[in-house]
Amino acid sequence: QKEVEQDPGPLSVPEGAIVSLNCTYSNSAFQYFMWYRQYSRKGPELLMYTYSSGNKEDGRFTAQVDKSSKYISLFIRDSQPSDSATYLCAMSARYAGGTSYGKLTFGQGTILTVHP
Amino acid sequence: DTEVTQTPKHLVMGMTNKKSLKCEQHMGHRAMYWYKQKAKKPPELMFVYSYEKLSINESVPSRFSPECPNSSLLNLHLHALQPEDSALYLCASSQDLELLSGANVLTFGAGSRLTVL
């Protein structure tokens, strides 16, 4: 079983739709959660960073963390064609010795297409 | 400057060639990373440098040789690669190895797309 599971999609939605992207994880050591967006032939760019359970909002994007269920989500409101990209969840943990060792564990990525 | 710059953007090489990928950042970050990404897959960690010293080698074959000449530069030397090594190679940097706060996250470059013939 992978430490982080993410539905690869692809997901196709009409412009203006609300998009929900999700990841589940099995390692309870994960405490820090990120969402990266990657356009075709580009490097990933950080969208959202969360630590606490609950919601964090940034414009049209909302990141949600439920540590008790080991489940994180990214919601995109009023989706636009420019949101078409691959969305990667990523997680880090404080391992023995109190360091993350620079390691992120990524989900498989969800390919999203928003059509006009 | 909040960018990680990678060169070249595209590289085609034969299996007997020697080439290098370069990465530069001027954000004062002290941790730098090489990732490999195949199509429709997440990035896979290859190497991590912390304060110019190799911190992590994720059991990468010796045909990939990293080098960190100074705190701003990271190279990946390539020799005797195989066609299955064709991928997008991503460089990233962070303030340090403690990816445990929103103030210290990975910043990726645009990548170098490598094709091995």
Side-chain angles (χ1 to χ4, degrees), chain A residues 32 34 36 38 41-46 49 88 92-94 98-104 106-109 111, chain B residues 10 33 35 37 40-43 45 48 56 58 88 90 97-102 105-111 113:
Chain A
Y32 307 87
M34 289 135 271
Y36 281 85
Q38 186 172 21
R41 299 181 177 276
K42 299 289 186 184
E45 60 175 320
L46 182 69
Y49 176 95
L88 293 150
S92 63
R94 192 184 299 275
T99 177
S100 75
Y101 297 107
K103 290 195 172 189
L104 285 188
F106 286 92
Q108 287 296 104
I111 300 169
Chain B
H10 301 276
Y33 308 74
Y35 281 84
Q37 187 176 29
K40 299 187 179 179
K41 297 289 186 186
L45 184 63
V48 181
I56 293 176
E58 291 284 337
L88 182 68
L90 293 162
L97 295 183
E98 301 310 319
L99 303 177
L100 303 170
S101 78
V105 293
L106 277 188
T107 300
F108 284 91
R113 187 162 299 279

Side-chain angles (χ1 to χ4, degrees), chain A residues 30-65:
Chain A
F30 289 137
Q31 300 175 45
Y32 307 87
F33 307 94
M34 289 135 271
W35 286 96
Y36 281 85
R37 177 175 63 193
Q38 186 172 21
Y39 290 115
S40 182
R41 299 181 177 276
K42 299 289 186 184
E45 60 175 320
L46 182 69
L47 267 182
M48 302 281 288
Y49 176 95
T50 56
Y51 166 67
S52 305
S53 282
N55 293 351
K56 180 177 179 181
E57 198 171 309
D58 184 0
R60 295 185 295 110
F61 298 90
T62 299
Q64 189 176 78
V65 174

Side-chain angles (χ1 to χ4, degrees), chain A:
Chain A
Q1 184 191 4
K2 293 192 176 92
E3 283 189 293
V4 179
E5 299 277 0
Q6 182 178 5
D7 187 342
L11 189 58
S12 181
V13 301
E15 185 173 354
I18 295 174
V19 176
S20 172
L21 305 166
N22 311 296
C23 288
T24 58
Y25 61 96
S26 56
N27 187 349
S28 57
F30 289 137
Q31 300 175 45
Y32 307 87
F33 307 94
M34 289 135 271
W35 286 96
Y36 281 85
R37 177 175 63 193
Q38 186 172 21
Y39 290 115
S40 182
R41 299 181 177 276
K42 299 289 186 184
E45 60 175 320
L46 182 69
L47 267 182
M48 302 281 288
Y49 176 95
T50 56
Y51 166 67
S52 305
S53 282
N55 293 351
K56 180 177 179 181
E57 198 171 309
D58 184 0
R60 295 185 295 110
F61 298 90
T62 299
Q64 189 176 78
V65 174
D66 182 345
K67 289 187 179 180
S68 62
S69 300
K70 297 190 179 69
Y71 188 89
I72 68 170
S73 298
L74 178 71
F75 297 97
I76 306 173
R77 288 185 300 281
D78 188 24
S79 56
Q80 302 294 308
S82 58
D83 295 327
S84 298
T86 297
Y87 290 80
L88 293 150
C89 65
M91 310 183 182
S92 63
R94 192 184 299 275
Y95 295 102
T99 177
S100 75
Y101 297 107
K103 290 195 172 189
L104 285 188
T105 302
F106 286 92
Q108 287 296 104
T110 299
I111 300 169
L112 172 67
T113 301
V114 181
H115 50 86

Side-chain angles (χ1 to χ4, degrees), chain B residues 28-48:
Chain B
H29 288 174
R30 303 314 299 266
M32 295 187 77
Y33 308 74
W34 281 115
Y35 281 84
K36 173 182 176 181
Q37 187 176 29
K38 300 283 263 184
K40 299 187 179 179
K41 297 289 186 186
E44 290 176 42
L45 184 63
M46 299 174 72
F47 302 104
V48 181

